[in-house]
Amino acid sequence: LMNINIPAYTSSKNLYSTLEKTIQTFCDIIQEEKHTATDPFVQELVHYIDEHFNDYGLCLSALEEAFNCSSSKIQKAFKNNLQITVSDYIEKKRMELANELLFQKERSITEIALECGFSNSNSFYKAYQRFYEKVKIYLHRFLSFGIMTCVDTCFANIQDWC
């Protein structure tokens, strides 16, 4: 850690943005390790969701139709194999895309919401706020209580709140 160069930031907003991206990257890596399917049925579900997560109509009932099986079977297999619910996985995929598109700043919020599979910008905003709430709480601590203290806390607890 002694050889790390910390770039100069012109504002706390720039620092906040960089920290948010970094923490989200850590969370994505941790979640990816937690959510690797070994069951062939779940692998098919994951592949299907990964291909269709930005379709507005993707939900549990759409998966029931696509896979010709009950929602309870889908939910149970998904949760037992990946330790996450189907709806949480879909939301995670949508938020990853949304986060990417928001940093490009080329589209309106409504366009991003629709491209990510949300019916409107209001439902997108609520999902985004819910999904990133934990990250923002920790980032606020970075800015309020000092970087090094919070970095230690962050890395000690990152797996719990990703």
Side-chain angles (χ1 to χ4, degrees), residues 103-119:
F103 283 109
Q104 293 175 4
K105 298 180 183 177
E106 298 168 357
R107 297 179 184 98
S108 71
I109 298 294
T110 301
E111 290 172 327
I112 291 170
L114 296 174
E115 187 170 337
C116 294
F118 293 93
S119 58

Side-chain angles (χ1 to χ4, degrees), residues 16 20 91 94-95 98-99 102 108-134 136:
Y16 182 87
E20 183 175 32
E91 186 170 89
R94 289 176 174 169
M95 289 298 107
N99 208 37
L102 284 168
S108 71
I109 298 294
T110 301
E111 290 172 327
I112 291 170
L114 296 174
E115 187 170 337
C116 294
F118 293 93
S119 58
N120 57 53
S121 59
N122 196 29
S123 63
F124 165 72
Y125 174 76
K126 288 177 184 175
Y128 193 88
Q129 188 175 29
R130 179 179 58 248
F131 191 81
Y132 287 107
E133 184 66 28
K134 290 180 181 178
K136 290 184 181 190

Side-chain angles (χ1 to χ4, degrees), residues 60-125:
L60 197 53
S61 61
L63 293 173
E64 281 181 298
E65 277 186 44
F67 288 88
N68 196 29
C69 65
S70 71
S71 62
S72 60
K73 178 181 177 182
I74 293 170
Q75 288 176 312
K76 186 175 181 181
F78 212 88
K79 183 75 173 174
N80 287 344
N81 202 259
L82 299 176
Q83 292 75 49
I84 188 172
T85 65
V86 173
S87 58
D88 285 346
Y89 184 79
I90 293 169
E91 186 170 89
K92 174 187 173 292
K93 297 298 291 183
R94 289 176 174 169
M95 289 298 107
E96 287 171 355
L97 177 60
N99 208 37
E100 231 177 81
L101 296 175
L102 284 168
F103 283 109
Q104 293 175 4
K105 298 180 183 177
E106 298 168 357
R107 297 179 184 98
S108 71
I109 298 294
T110 301
E111 290 172 327
I112 291 170
L114 296 174
E115 187 170 337
C116 294
F118 293 93
S119 58
N120 57 53
S121 59
N122 196 29
S123 63
F124 165 72
Y125 174 76

Side-chain angles (χ1 to χ4, degrees), residues 8-9 14 22 25 27 41 52 71 79 87 134 143 145 148 152:
Y9 292 94
N14 290 347
T22 303
T25 300
C27 286
F41 174 65
H52 298 91
S71 62
K79 183 75 173 174
S87 58
K134 290 180 181 178
L143 298 175
F145 301 115
M148 292 318 293
D152 293 339

